[in-house]
Amino acid sequence: MMADSGSEEIAVIGNTDLTSAELENNIKNTMVEIEKWTSLLRKMEISVGEAEKRTGKNTVNMQEIYTVYLIETRPVDAVTEGIIPAPDSLWRRYSEFELLRNYLLVTYPFVVVAPLPEKRAEIVWHKLSADNMDPDFVERRRVGLENFLLRLASHPVLCNDKIFYIFLTEEKGWKEMVYETGFQAKADSRLKAMNAAFRVKNPDKRFTELKHYSDELQAVVSQLLRVRARVADRLYGVYKVHGNYGRVFSEWSAIEKEMGDGLQSAGHHMDAYAASVDDILEEEEHYADQLKEYLFYTEALSEFVKTAWIDIEHFKDQKDRDLKEALISYAIMQISRCKKGIQVWTNAKECFNKM
């Protein structure tokens, strides 16, 4: 953001304890570090291996059921001569992932911090469970949390953060170390900074354009997900109609002697096609989750607009690459699905010809 040199209404980006000159110097130093960057993923393998339900008491001593996720790490250079050592592992709750992201948002106001997967299912087709304890949803969230960690570990700035490394490697004492950084007080300062930003007389047009872009991207991706949910509902109906064909053909075959075998065979084809819908829609959810990640990225961009400009080109390149790959893969899957449908009716036609 920019302001008149004589104005007292100066927007502060990030830590309000820093002057504009000090902040600019910090950003320059950060970019120098980026040039010397070595990704954490070159040193360490990171995965979220599984999820597990647990029962315990919350902060107000009430019994609750929650899910924990197993983070596994293994040094890359430990894999030698075909021997793969057992990974180090620890369990983290979703709330701990949230705490990590909040810390990173405050500590690195000039970075578009990767979003977390949704805490509860949103924008889903009506046959899909919205229960955050549903095994399918928990599995999808596990994949999303692993992707979140890989995003951080591959980022030229965030991969070098000490707290992030401790999050991956030390199960106990991690929260205390986060709070000792004083990031919560800095977060309060950021709120004051945001209020100051709204009072700036001459905002930087680049920030205004980015906010507009973020809003438009959010609207487009939200609409795409809603359309996809409606299409999934219709697709589910189409597949279940084939199940009705299968039932009718099977019942018909029981009363027809000469046509019986052909009708029964056609019914089996229809039943198999109808039964495949669950796996297909589950596969579709994978692509929907990829789109949702960028829906949540728009929220990260809005946060970013209020702080700094540094990481936007990194985001754009990543977005173009990932969404192109996801949409192409989705198109290929749809083509394959149509071919299977044509084959089912071709098989049925052959059965009828034999009657």
Side-chain angles (χ1 to χ4, degrees), residues 178-205:
V178 174
Y179 292 127
E180 287 174 2
T181 65
F183 87 96
Q184 290 178 308
K186 295 178 183 177
D188 294 337
S189 296
R190 288 185 66 194
L191 290 177
K192 296 178 182 178
M194 292 175 190
N195 291 332
F198 288 112
R199 299 196 302 270
V200 174
K201 293 181 179 178
N202 299 310
D204 191 322
K205 290 183 179 179

Side-chain angles (χ1 to χ4, degrees), residues 61-327:
N61 207 33
M62 297 283 289
Q63 199 78 4
E64 67 172 344
I65 299 175
Y66 58 91
T67 305
V68 290
Y69 299 87
L70 182 65
I71 298 176
E72 297 180 314
T73 58
R74 180 189 292 113
V76 172
D77 57 9
V79 181
T80 58
E81 298 180 358
I83 300 175
I84 303 177
D88 294 324
S89 61
L90 51 82
W91 296 93
R92 296 284 188 212
R93 294 185 63 170
Y94 184 90
S95 59
E96 292 182 272
F97 284 86
E98 288 183 309
L99 178 59
L100 172 64
R101 187 172 187 274
N102 290 336
Y103 156 79
L104 295 173
L105 282 172
V106 173
T107 307
Y108 302 95
F110 50 86
V111 169
V112 180
V113 180
L116 289 166
E118 56 191 343
K119 195 168 187 175
R120 291 175 177 81
E122 299 176 359
I123 315 180
V124 297
W125 63 291
H126 75 277
K127 295 293 182 181
L128 187 67
S129 172
D131 180 9
N132 66 334
M133 288 293 178
D134 177 75
D136 290 336
F137 174 72
V138 170
E139 169 60 18
R140 287 167 45 220
R141 189 164 63 179
R142 179 198 67 78
V143 173
L145 291 174
E146 179 177 280
N147 188 56
F148 168 72
L149 294 181
L150 295 177
R151 295 284 196 202
L152 300 184
S154 61
H155 192 278
V157 175
L158 304 182
C159 71
N160 294 311
D161 184 84
K162 180 181 178 182
I163 294 296
F164 173 45
Y165 184 80
I166 293 174
F167 176 87
L168 296 172
T169 56
E170 297 184 22
E171 187 159 16
K172 296 182 178 180
W174 174 78
K175 287 185 179 180
E176 291 75 11
M177 294 192 68
V178 174
Y179 292 127
E180 287 174 2
T181 65
F183 87 96
Q184 290 178 308
K186 295 178 183 177
D188 294 337
S189 296
R190 288 185 66 194
L191 290 177
K192 296 178 182 178
M194 292 175 190
N195 291 332
F198 288 112
R199 299 196 302 270
V200 174
K201 293 181 179 178
N202 299 310
D204 191 322
K205 290 183 179 179
R206 294 177 302 173
F207 286 82
T208 304
E209 291 171 356
L210 178 58
K211 180 63 168 66
H212 180 67
Y213 167 76
S214 175
D215 292 343
E216 286 192 332
L217 179 61
Q218 183 180 50
V220 169
V221 176
S222 295
Q223 183 64 17
L224 181 59
L225 285 167
R226 292 189 182 95
V227 170
R228 181 261 157 191
R230 292 198 296 269
V231 170
D233 284 333
R234 295 183 64 181
L235 181 66
Y236 185 83
V238 169
Y239 273 74
K240 290 309 177 184
V241 165
H242 282 77
N244 293 335
Y245 275 120
R247 177 178 55 81
V248 170
F249 289 155
S250 295
E251 292 176 356
W252 193 5
S253 69
I255 61 174
E256 295 285 353
K257 293 183 179 180
E258 296 181 359
M259 299 167 57
D261 291 343
L263 289 169
Q264 188 174 41
S265 296
H268 287 321
H269 286 299
M270 297 296 170
D271 288 338
Y273 189 59
S276 67
V277 67
D278 293 329
D279 290 339
I280 290 171
L281 291 177
E282 183 178 343
E283 184 180 356
E284 276 207 0
E285 284 302 315
H286 168 71
Y287 298 106
D289 287 341
Q290 288 180 296
L291 293 174
K292 284 183 180 182
E293 181 186 13
Y294 280 89
L295 177 63
F296 304 143
Y297 251 124
T298 61
E299 298 174 8
L301 271 183
S302 295
E303 181 73 17
F304 173 82
V305 166
K306 300 169 185 175
T307 55
W309 183 260
I310 300 296
D311 208 41
I312 191 60
E313 292 303 323
H314 174 82
F315 161 76
K316 285 183 176 179
D317 291 343
Q318 174 184 292
K319 180 263 299 180
D320 291 344
R321 182 175 62 253
D322 289 350
L323 290 187
K324 177 181 178 181
E325 180 180 346
L327 293 173

